[in-house]
Amino acid sequence: MRTRKSARAGQYLALLAYLVFLAFPFLWLISTAFKPPRELGSLHPTWIPKDPTLANFRQAFDEQPLLDAALNSLIAAVGAAVIAVLIATPMAYVMARHRTRLARAATGWVVVSQAFPFVLVIIPLFLVLKNLRLINSVPGLIMVYVVWALPFALWMLVGYVRAVPTELEEAAAVDGAGRLRTLVSITAPLLAPGIVATALFAFISAWNEFFFALVLLKTPEKQTLPVVLTHFIGAEGVADLGPLAAAAFLATLPSLVVFAVIQKRITGGMLAGAVKS
Amino acid sequence: MTSATVRKRSVKRSARGAPDGGGGGAGDRLVDHGAWFLVLPALIPILVLSVGPLLYGIALAFTDSQSGRTEPTQWIGTLNFQDLLHDTLFWDSFRIGLLWAVGVTIPQFLLALGLALLLNENLRFRWLARSLAIIPWAMPEVVVGIMWRLVYNPDAGILNETIRDLGLGDGRDWLSGLATALPAVIVVGVWAGMPQTTVALLAGLQNTPRELHEAAAMDGADAWRRFRTVTWPALKPVALAITALNFIWNFNSFALVYVLTNGGPGGRTRLPMLFAYEEAFRYGQFGYAAAMGCVMVAVISVILALHLVGRLRGGDDA
């Protein structure tokens, strides 16, 4: 019995260590965002700002076009999420329900696409989009994000489709409903929560994406939030820690909120995918 | 994760009876008739914006394509690859990429395994750990990089302050030190990738038969023995899959290190993706950078193949 007790204590100690490791960088970011310049300049930084201020946030908005960037990010992320889910849902349905060569090829592509070094895709995409005059445009970026979001959208959706029993669809078919009608009126409503979760996950991924945006968006007024954030880091390293932290903190909030809302569904969906594979 | 998975799936499904009613022959059809209109909206973008560019990218590796040049691009055969062979900077970066990928993937796996085992226990505050474990996952990589720059900051950073408080010296400039830069970014990589790994392993754990665990405990098996004989065999497929994926993702990563060090100091953290990015979009050497991408794909394919072989062999044992 005593060994059990000490084992429990060890487990709690380990859990505490994990909590510190996971939480402390994030707490430090928040703390830095609210510190006045005087506290940031001191050689003995404090954990909690003695004299918290919002000045860093104001300065961040003055220094960089954060509002434009947030708007660009929002358009890119919402556009990519909506389009990706609209075109992925029917394909995921076919992949889940029909054992065909195309379905197998698509599954293979979903897996292989995880292994691309993006540099091999971005150079041709850059050349093609340049010829189409879609460089430095948010719609061009959306096109790229849609395809980039498709693999995991298909992956999640296939799992959700499999969870819908086929009996309902068969019953509808017996009643004389066509394929499209069955999909729209029987399967889609049952899939709705999964589709929403997939869309929100695609939203977060696009909101957070950096590499494609860095390459494809050239001028500050077209750039997304992650790209604009890097402008706070000058060529000489970090100039202003306070505004940098404030802007970084703000850029995280939307994905944190969305993730908190759908966390269970995402992990649930991924768990299902991981277990089934 | 590749063809073995696919095969297993189709076997499972045929055992259940294919819903389209087409017995054994269904697998040989390209598409179920009448399903084309459901597939095309996704298939066309995939072909045009993913498969197409990939093939185009491979083709570019055999050309002298450059940005902003007026003469037409020409085929130059394997010249880029021959140059690459003698490009010591590229191989330095390749070595750093492998070091980084191994250095991140292994601790990531071990830490995530520990956390998953803890979260699988009936502990108080488990919900708090679960919620916190998600934070790195939801954050933009750029923010993760910025956040750790604040932690590592030589004067105003919490790491050096802690070191000073503990009386261990003055701390140092972690990200610009030649010896400390790579370990410092590896720590960030481990932190950033832990959630996905933890979640996947937790799924594997919840898949292990609890009765077996209890039976082993009744037989007096200690924790380590129970882990080795009951937990690990059930966890192994998920563990292998997630480790292989993590290795590939880490080898291909870009944003974190771009923000943390931009490849510095003196190229000590210049991952292959950073090198190829600079070659393509700073120096405009599209063909040469595409050749780098091809070499990276080749290495990843070898790793995937080895992994598959290992997995199939593991399957024979079971």
Side-chain angles (χ1 to χ4, degrees):
Chain A
M1 223 46 205
R2 251 183 67 198
T3 50
R4 257 198 90 84
K5 238 179 200 165
S6 66
R8 263 286 124 107
Q11 284 175 339
Y12 277 110
L13 211 64
L15 194 64
L16 184 72
Y18 274 108
L19 288 180
V20 171
F21 179 57
L22 289 169
F24 96 96
F26 190 59
L27 295 176
W28 187 246
L29 173 74
I30 300 173
S31 160
T32 308
F34 290 97
K35 275 181 190 170
R38 190 166 22 81
E39 280 184 57
L40 283 168
S42 88
L43 199 65
H44 285 286
T46 43
W47 260 109
I48 298 161
K50 287 195 197 90
D51 194 8
T53 169
L54 290 173
N56 291 324
F57 291 88
R58 215 171 306 127
Q59 200 185 332
F61 279 94
D62 287 344
E63 276 177 22
Q64 297 291 338
L66 284 183
L67 271 182
D68 286 348
L71 192 63
N72 291 338
S73 279
L74 190 69
I75 296 170
V78 170
V82 170
I83 299 173
V85 162
L86 277 180
I87 65 178
T89 305
M91 179 151 176
Y93 176 77
V94 173
M95 283 169 69
R97 289 285 192 253
H98 301 284
R99 194 162 58 89
T100 61
R101 262 184 292 165
L102 185 72
R104 275 183 292 172
T107 313
W109 170 79
V110 166
V111 173
V112 170
S113 65
Q114 297 298 306
F116 291 177
F118 289 136
V119 68
L120 205 52
V121 183
I122 193 67
I123 300 171
L125 271 177
F126 180 84
L127 293 171
V128 170
L129 291 174
K130 200 172 164 193
N131 285 328
L132 296 171
R133 297 182 185 284
L134 282 171
I135 292 287
N136 203 29
S137 92
V138 176
L141 188 67
I142 290 178
M143 283 168 59
V144 176
Y145 280 177
V146 166
V147 179
W148 175 68
L150 274 176
F152 70 77
L154 287 170
W155 182 256
M156 285 176 78
L157 287 167
V158 166
Y160 290 123
V161 173
R162 292 235 175 91
V164 176
T166 51
E167 287 79 20
L168 291 170
E169 289 167 19
E170 280 155 13
V174 168
D175 290 345
R179 188 191 302 274
L180 188 62
R181 213 193 133 79
T182 310
L183 180 57
V184 169
S185 57
I186 306 286
T187 318
L190 292 169
L191 277 181
I195 291 174
V196 171
T198 309
L200 288 171
F201 197 49
F203 171 89
I204 296 174
S205 308
W207 179 273
N208 292 349
E209 203 283 333
F210 177 65
F211 182 64
F212 292 129
L214 176 73
V215 172
L216 296 177
L217 305 172
K218 294 287 152 202
T219 55
E221 72 273 9
K222 287 284 167 66
Q223 283 168 342
T224 54
L225 217 37
V227 183
V228 169
L229 283 181
T230 62
H231 299 332
F232 282 100
I233 308 167
E236 306 286 307
V238 185
D240 274 322
L241 296 180
L244 175 74
F249 175 61
L250 284 181
T252 312
L253 283 183
S255 30
L256 273 186
V257 171
V258 172
F259 214 104
V261 172
I262 55 163
Q263 196 227 98
K264 281 235 169 70
R265 290 210 142 264
I266 287 182
T267 47
M270 297 236 155
L271 299 191
V275 171
K276 270 176 202 146
S277 66
Chain B
M1 212 61 181
T2 48
S3 69
T5 317
V6 178
R7 210 175 319 125
K8 239 187 269 168
R9 280 229 182 98
S10 42
V11 167
K12 225 189 276 171
R13 208 159 328 132
S14 66
R16 210 174 57 194
D20 54 20
D28 296 317
R29 248 182 289 155
L30 189 57
V31 188
D32 189 55
H33 60 89
W36 272 109
F37 73 102
L38 294 173
V39 174
L40 283 181
L43 194 61
I44 291 171
I46 286 171
L47 291 176
V48 174
L49 289 167
S50 175
V51 178
L54 187 69
L55 299 176
Y56 188 0
I58 294 169
L60 274 175
F62 298 92
T63 71
D64 61 355
S65 172
Q66 286 176 19
S67 78
R69 207 177 50 161
T70 43
E71 308 100 85
T73 297
Q74 287 189 343
W75 290 97
I76 53 167
T78 56
L79 213 59
N80 282 330
F81 292 94
Q82 290 169 35
D83 286 348
L84 211 48
L85 213 57
H86 301 110
D87 189 339
T88 50
L89 282 181
F90 175 71
W91 293 109
D92 281 347
S93 132
F94 203 84
R95 201 174 37 85
I96 290 166
L98 288 177
L99 260 174
W100 148 270
V102 173
V104 173
T105 306
I106 292 174
Q108 205 168 55
F109 174 76
L110 293 176
L111 284 174
L113 179 63
L115 184 56
L117 287 170
L118 278 176
L119 294 182
N120 203 34
E121 293 283 324
N122 201 9
L123 297 180
R124 253 174 279 174
F125 303 112
R126 194 169 62 160
W127 62 271
L128 182 63
R130 282 191 185 201
S131 316
L132 279 176
I134 295 297
I135 289 181
W137 196 353
M139 288 181 101
E141 275 184 293
V142 167
V143 174
V144 174
I146 288 172
M147 189 174 74
W148 279 87
R149 279 184 78 129
L150 298 172
V151 169
Y152 281 136
N153 188 283
D155 301 323
I158 189 64
L159 183 60
N160 276 356
E161 177 59 15
T162 307
I163 289 171
R164 286 190 292 262
D165 283 350
L166 294 175
L168 296 173
D170 281 339
R172 45 169 91 216
D173 195 347
W174 300 94
L175 291 172
S176 9
L178 286 179
T180 54
L182 188 59
V185 295
I186 283 175
V187 169
V188 183
V190 171
W191 186 88
M194 249 178 66
Q196 289 99 316
T197 317
T198 308
V199 166
L201 291 175
L202 199 52
L205 285 177
Q206 282 163 4
N207 211 24
T208 62
R210 199 159 273 278
E211 310 79 59
L212 223 58
H213 228 274
E214 278 155 14
M218 297 264 264
D219 288 348
D222 58 22
W224 168 241
R225 215 188 143 79
R226 286 203 303 275
F227 176 78
R228 233 189 33 194
T229 55
V230 180
T231 313
W232 181 245
L235 198 58
K236 206 173 148 194
V238 177
L240 284 175
I242 192 73
T243 313
L245 269 177
N246 275 343
F247 183 88
I248 291 164
W249 285 332
N250 289 326
F251 186 71
N252 286 337
S253 63
F254 176 82
L256 262 190
V257 175
Y258 178 89
V259 173
L260 280 166
T261 60
N262 197 11
R268 290 297 163 96
T269 60
R270 196 195 281 137
L271 303 183
M273 271 290 283
L274 279 116
F275 195 92
Y277 165 79
E278 285 208 337
E279 204 61 39
F281 296 103
R282 189 190 279 184
Y283 305 116
Q285 300 291 338
F286 288 151
Y288 195 53
M292 290 179 188
C294 286
V295 172
M296 289 170 69
V297 169
V299 169
I300 287 164
S301 309
V302 169
I303 290 164
L304 266 181
L306 287 177
H307 170 72
L308 257 184
V309 169
R311 212 173 156 180
L312 291 178
R313 220 179 260 155
D316 288 344
D317 292 345

